[in-house]
Amino acid sequence: MFNRSLVVWELLGVLLLSVLLRGQRCAADPATPPLQIAAFRDISAFLLETVRKDYAVALQITYVKNADEAHTRLRRQQADIVFMSYDDTLSMALQEQYGEIAAFMPIHGGLLDLCGTLDLAANKNRVGIDTDTGYARALRRYLRDRLSNADAYRQLVWIMAGATDLRYEKLRAQELDATLLNPPFSYRPGVTRIAALSGNAVVPRYQGVVANLNRSWLGSRSHRASLAAFITIYQRALRDLRAHPDDTIAKLVEFYGLSPPIAAAVFARLWASDGLNATGMFDDGALAETERIFAEDTGLTVPRVRTWVLTDPERFGP
């Protein structure tokens, strides 16, 4: 079926591609400053660094230590674009009543595995989460269902352990018994994957990371041009990564220091049902399921009209 919105993005991106594709000169040109992006050190880091390095896009990337920092950077306009979970978008829009936030592009469906060991009889009950928002809501729903009874669930000890890379280090240091990890950390040697978080009866679908911005930032014509070009290049990079598996696996080996077999397993997971969002279009079902988890956990009603999601390029204005 003809997708007018996607075609509009492609045409707009082609026209504006030169805004960002200026190599080192772009970063030095005061008229075209690099896009400021805040993100986690999950697979988002690999994607963004690939866009910056292989496509000569001027990006200045800051990696956050937890979701609270991601919220703060967006609210204080310390980043043009912030990568964080869709649950965190909901948290800012509906709990914090931050009307400026707008998610404009899906990144991945979580890629989440519960890793480590949960054995309540052996007092292995320390579960690491980033903050109370984000993936923690889905994990709480999952474990409430999968543990034998409510008393077993109440034995869990929840530890605020920071972002994925930090939780991985604490799991390896035996400061945690179990936590959610995504690639590459969930595939590293010594990590036991218990189960995938989504794609089951408890969490059938899930929207993980999305790219967010402040609506007022779009008031600038140059910002809109930079954004359109970034989206076009990002989507081109995704297509190239998927189309050339041998090259992508080699890049994963180099970027993360993985063995080729582990890098190949990570590559395969990137395109699974909970993997990278291959287009810039949001999946309504994944959004809706994440919203149901959010509503159950917070007691808030999620409005039917998603004013915090930009789904149509015409909303970006001329």
Side-chain angles (χ1 to χ4, degrees):
M1 184 175 68
F2 181 74
N3 190 322
R4 186 172 66 90
S5 294
L6 189 57
V7 170
V8 169
W9 270 125
E10 290 289 344
L11 291 175
L12 187 58
V14 169
L15 291 172
L16 298 172
L17 200 58
S18 62
V19 173
L20 289 181
L21 290 178
R22 297 182 181 178
Q24 295 181 353
R25 289 182 298 139
C26 182
D29 183 355
T32 312
L35 276 173
Q36 309 282 326
I37 299 182
F40 292 94
R41 284 191 185 275
D42 60 4
I43 200 65
S44 302
F46 174 72
L47 299 174
L48 290 171
E49 296 291 357
T50 296
V51 167
R52 176 163 65 177
K53 178 182 177 182
D54 294 357
Y55 297 82
V57 179
L59 302 178
Q60 185 169 323
I61 307 167
T62 300
Y63 294 109
V64 298
K65 64 181 182 298
N66 56 41
D68 289 339
E69 183 182 348
H71 291 206
T72 298
R73 285 188 172 275
L74 187 71
R75 184 184 290 275
R76 294 181 180 176
Q77 300 185 15
Q78 294 172 332
D80 304 321
I81 297 170
V82 177
F83 280 37
M84 58 185 173
S85 76
Y86 182 58
D87 183 279
D88 280 296
T89 303
L90 293 170
S91 297
M92 291 193 70
L94 302 179
Q95 284 187 300
E96 300 175 19
Q97 294 290 299
Y98 186 62
E100 273 280 288
I101 191 170
F104 65 88
M105 184 172 65
I107 303 301
H108 62 65
L111 291 162
L112 293 165
D113 288 307
L114 179 60
C115 298
T117 303
L118 275 180
D119 185 346
L120 302 184
N123 290 322
K124 291 185 176 297
N125 61 349
R126 299 169 299 169
V127 183
I129 55 177
D130 180 359
T131 65
D132 278 329
T133 64
Y135 303 153
R137 297 194 210 277
L139 180 58
R140 288 193 290 264
R141 177 200 254 197
Y142 179 84
L143 289 176
R144 273 196 303 269
D145 181 87
R146 291 305 166 100
L147 291 178
S148 58
N149 54 57
D151 288 338
Y153 179 78
R154 283 192 288 269
Q155 292 180 48
L156 298 177
V157 176
W158 299 92
I159 298 174
M160 302 293 187
T164 302
D165 55 322
L166 303 178
R167 297 198 306 275
Y168 164 76
E169 294 295 343
K170 291 175 182 178
L171 182 68
R172 294 286 290 149
Q174 300 184 11
E175 296 173 21
L176 303 172
D177 297 309
T179 190
L180 286 176
L181 297 177
N182 47 27
F185 305 103
S186 52
Y187 284 81
R188 287 194 178 277
V191 173
T192 300
R193 293 190 301 280
I194 301 172
L197 179 69
S198 63
N200 53 66
V202 185
V203 185
R205 302 173 77 177
Y206 193 72
Q207 180 60 60
V209 168
V210 297
N212 302 269
L213 50 72
N214 283 299
R215 290 179 178 275
S216 58
W217 184 80
L218 290 175
S220 162
R221 184 181 296 272
S222 66
H223 290 169
R224 294 195 298 272
S226 294
L227 181 65
F230 170 73
I231 292 172
T232 297
I233 300 164
Y234 176 87
Q235 293 299 327
R236 180 178 298 175
L238 275 189
R239 291 193 295 271
D240 290 346
L241 289 170
R242 189 172 192 175
H244 304 285
D246 290 344
D247 291 343
T248 302
I249 290 168
K251 290 177 181 178
L252 288 166
V253 167
E254 179 181 3
F255 189 82
Y256 286 116
L258 304 174
S259 69
I262 290 179
V266 169
F267 176 84
R269 182 64 181 275
L270 294 183
W271 315 109
S273 59
D274 64 348
L276 298 180
N277 297 119
T279 75
M281 311 303 291
F282 287 98
D283 180 331
D284 182 76
L287 296 183
E289 182 59 30
T290 309
E291 289 162 1
R292 279 192 287 273
I293 294 171
F294 173 87
E296 289 172 5
D297 192 70
T298 63
L300 296 175
T301 298
V302 178
R304 186 170 299 176
V305 177
R306 298 180 178 116
T307 57
W308 54 89
V309 176
L310 296 176
T311 58
D312 194 330
E314 279 83 353
R315 293 193 185 187
F316 289 99

